[in-house]
Amino acid sequence: MSRLPEPYKIKMIEPIRLISREERKQKLIEAGYNPFLLKSEDVYIDLLTDSGTGAMSDRQWSGLMLGDESYAGSRSFYYLKETVQQLTDYQYVIPTHQGRGSEQVLFSQLIKQGQAVLGNMHFDTTKAHIELNGGTPVNLVISQAYDTSNQHPFKGNFDTNKLESYIQQHGEENIAFINVTITCNSAGGQPVSMENIKAVSKIANKYHIPVIFDAARFAENAYFIKMREDGYKDKDIRTIVREMFAYGDGLTMSGKKDGLVNIGGLIVIKEDEKLFQQCTSTIVPLEGFPTYGGLTGRDMQALAVGLNEVVEIDYLHHRISQVQLLGKLLVNYDIPIQEPIGGHAVFVDAKKLLPHIEPSEFPAHALACELYIESGIRGVEIGSLLFGRDNKSGKDGLSKLELLRLTIPRRVYTDNHIQYVAESLGKLARKRSQITGVNFTYEPTILRHFTARFKPI
């Protein structure tokens, strides 16, 4: 049997509607040619992000009724804390409203003005929080990550030679921490191998530099280790997760991904009590009391349940196989994608698909706009628009990858939806020569892709 059915039954539905092509054109104009600014009711299939867009289970919905809404010392917090401690083997747990709240609090304690943060490939909000705290984000992912046709099984890996060379050249005192993003979103949802995590940890220990995980998709990364790395196929996901985290000193997590909830995040610290105390002091004015951190008791209850569900192998197998299905269908339409197919999304190589559009005219964003007009599907650019301008020169179009991310929400769409997405992009690819780039009509200075407005060239 080539494909197994979903490991769940559908108990509740949410209707969706495909508005007419003319309506879609008008809605996109009103949104300034930015899919972020479309109303969700005007989107047919929403592949903008997997962040907070998943469907919760019956156990999670039941958990909402059990939430303890006490301001301090909530029972739901202690349930969440125990769940996280068992999963990570880290001691200190602080809830936040979402991943960027975790970064805002933790990074302010770790980064001194002028220090660098070394990552495999920083995502947008991580890069922004590093810069807002006076740091410099540095990407040290392996070169294979930039070749979308390369079949390296762990394209999220650090180039450990470059990592150590950077530390030796700039001095360990000028490095705030090493940020390991699992899976590596900006590289195409690509996993990091256990071997590479070990090697990064060894270098970090040698130079006394903390290792912090961006653990938004930690379970998906563990699944790829189980499936692709020697010595792990017979190990369960929980065991792999604990081994991954053993090589770090702390983590930030958006619970809106592998926490399987619609809101929530975490700061988790292995054993540094001083850092924990600094974070708890900071979190009070920024997020809330340390035992709720911007979340309701029911949010924490649902997050704890989700963290237990996400490491179930049946869930992960279906999750990853649905993403693989979309990737394979697109390959059948001769659409270039980042290969091998990653964990949470399929990334279309817009640079190859639309070679006539310059990087400074954002080919992946232009493709996202045309895909919405064609089919009502909303995707998102991961390329030069997200990368931003050079801080000193102001130059644009700098990303080595120009990707359209088609992000699959968890437990939301069926394989029929996936088939429609592939067919729609296949139709659009046949008209690729008619697609033009875009220019700004409004450009914010920070995280510009969220709220910028454009016009077609």
Side-chain angles (χ1 to χ4, degrees):
M1 186 181 295
S2 59
R3 284 192 57 77
L4 290 172
E6 288 81 359
Y8 52 82
K9 298 185 293 184
I10 296 171
K11 184 177 288 189
M12 184 174 68
I13 63 163
E14 178 182 349
I16 57 175
R17 184 175 69 94
L18 179 61
I19 62 176
S20 71
R21 186 183 187 90
E22 288 306 312
E23 286 179 291
R24 297 196 296 270
K25 285 183 179 179
Q26 184 58 38
K27 297 298 182 184
L28 193 61
I29 291 170
E30 293 171 3
Y33 286 88
N34 187 344
F36 272 107
L37 303 181
L38 291 166
K39 293 180 180 178
S40 64
E41 64 194 42
D42 298 323
V43 175
Y44 186 46
I45 295 179
D46 201 344
L47 307 184
L48 183 75
T49 180
D50 62 329
S51 181
T53 58
M56 292 202 300
S57 69
D58 54 356
R59 288 177 288 179
Q60 288 178 290
W61 282 105
S62 298
L64 296 183
M65 300 303 294
L66 299 173
D68 175 7
E69 304 304 341
S70 301
Y71 183 91
S74 164
R75 180 179 65 251
S76 297
F77 164 74
Y78 289 104
Y79 175 41
L80 175 61
K81 178 183 176 181
E82 181 181 349
T83 299
V84 174
Q85 287 174 331
Q86 290 175 351
L87 197 60
T88 63
D89 207 22
Y90 288 5
Q91 186 171 355
Y92 300 109
V93 181
I94 306 172
T96 61
H97 80 281
Q98 62 182 72
R100 67 194 62 175
S102 301
E103 292 175 345
Q104 183 183 30
V105 171
L106 183 62
F107 289 9
S108 67
Q109 302 306 315
L110 293 176
I111 300 172
K112 296 177 183 177
Q113 188 71 30
Q115 285 186 318
V117 176
L118 311 184
N120 42 354
M121 202 170 182
H122 299 293
F123 198 57
D124 56 349
T125 52
T126 308
K127 178 175 179 285
H129 278 122
I130 293 168
E131 292 172 340
L132 287 168
N133 282 285
T136 301
V138 178
N139 292 332
L140 297 169
V141 73
I142 57 174
S143 60
Q144 292 93 326
Y146 299 111
D147 179 359
T148 56
S149 61
N150 190 292
Q151 296 295 320
H152 192 292
F154 292 100
K155 279 185 171 178
N157 281 359
F158 278 78
D159 185 322
T160 51
N161 290 329
K162 287 183 179 179
L163 175 64
E164 186 157 22
S165 294
Y166 190 97
I167 296 169
Q168 291 173 345
Q169 182 179 349
H170 293 86
E172 61 192 71
E173 70 280 3
N174 294 312
I175 313 299
F177 61 94
I178 297 171
N179 192 59
V180 184
T181 304
I182 51 175
T183 57
C184 190
N185 190 1
S186 295
Q190 296 294 309
V192 184
S193 71
M194 192 73 79
E195 180 184 25
N196 191 251
I197 292 171
K198 289 180 187 177
V200 169
S201 176
K202 185 176 180 180
I203 293 169
N205 290 336
K206 179 179 177 181
Y207 295 99
H208 312 290
I209 298 171
V211 173
I212 304 296
F213 287 98
D214 178 342
R217 300 176 180 90
F218 73 96
E220 293 177 6
N221 199 87
Y223 180 85
F224 282 117
I225 288 173
K226 180 177 177 67
M227 295 299 163
R228 295 181 181 177
E229 192 163 358
D230 291 342
Y232 289 92
K233 70 176 182 178
D234 295 325
K235 293 188 177 184
D236 64 78
I237 296 297
R238 285 181 181 273
T239 300
I240 296 171
V241 167
R242 286 169 70 91
E243 184 179 346
M244 284 194 309
F245 290 141
Y247 298 109
D249 300 287
L251 63 87
T252 60
M253 182 191 298
S254 168
K256 298 164 69 176
K257 285 83 169 178
D258 274 358
L260 304 181
V261 289
N262 306 123
I263 197 69
L266 293 167
I267 299 169
V268 192
I269 298 167
K270 190 174 191 176
E271 56 190 14
D272 189 335
E273 184 177 6
K274 181 180 178 181
L275 178 60
F276 167 69
Q277 291 172 341
Q278 290 170 334
C279 288
T280 54
S281 297
T282 305
I283 205 164
V284 174
L286 293 180
E287 292 278 308
F289 193 74
T291 59
Y292 77 87
L295 295 177
T296 64
R298 55 187 175 270
D299 292 328
M300 292 188 287
Q301 194 84 18
L303 177 55
V305 175
L307 289 171
N308 282 315
E309 291 182 349
V310 79
V311 292
E312 294 173 0
I313 190 65
D314 287 346
Y315 159 78
L316 280 169
H317 180 71
H318 175 262
R319 164 67 175 161
I320 302 300
S321 67
Q322 191 175 55
V323 178
Q324 302 283 316
L325 174 62
L326 176 57
K328 291 172 182 176
L329 290 171
L330 292 181
V331 169
N332 290 341
Y333 282 108
D334 294 324
I335 295 171
I337 64 172
Q338 174 69 291
E339 295 186 81
I341 302 160
H344 66 288
V346 175
F347 291 69
V348 176
D349 189 336
K351 185 183 288 188
K352 288 182 179 178
L353 189 67
L354 305 174
H356 58 286
I357 300 179
E358 294 296 321
S360 59
E361 296 172 355
F362 312 124
H365 185 82
L367 183 60
C369 291
E370 291 298 325
L371 181 60
Y372 173 73
I373 293 172
E374 178 69 30
S375 60
I377 297 166
R378 175 160 64 173
V380 67
E381 189 258 19
I382 305 291
S384 289
L385 174 59
L386 179 142
F387 189 88
R389 295 180 181 271
D390 180 84
N391 286 336
K392 295 180 180 178
S393 69
K395 187 177 179 181
D396 216 337
L398 301 173
S399 179
K400 295 179 182 179
L401 293 169
E402 303 293 345
L403 304 173
L404 169 66
R405 189 182 73 180
L406 302 171
T407 331
I408 314 297
R410 293 164 178 81
R411 305 188 291 203
V412 170
Y413 294 118
T414 69
D415 290 355
N416 283 333
H417 294 103
I418 299 301
Q419 185 77 43
Y420 175 80
V421 173
E423 290 173 357
S424 300
L425 201 52
K427 290 179 186 176
L428 190 59
R430 293 195 290 270
K431 300 183 285 186
R432 69 188 74 183
S433 62
Q434 301 172 28
I435 300 174
T436 63
V438 295
N439 280 336
F440 286 110
T441 60
Y442 164 66
E443 181 184 1
T445 55
I446 297 175
L447 295 172
R448 61 184 185 174
H449 53 292
F450 286 113
T451 56
R453 301 180 78 88
F454 305 88
K455 62 180 180 181
I457 295 172

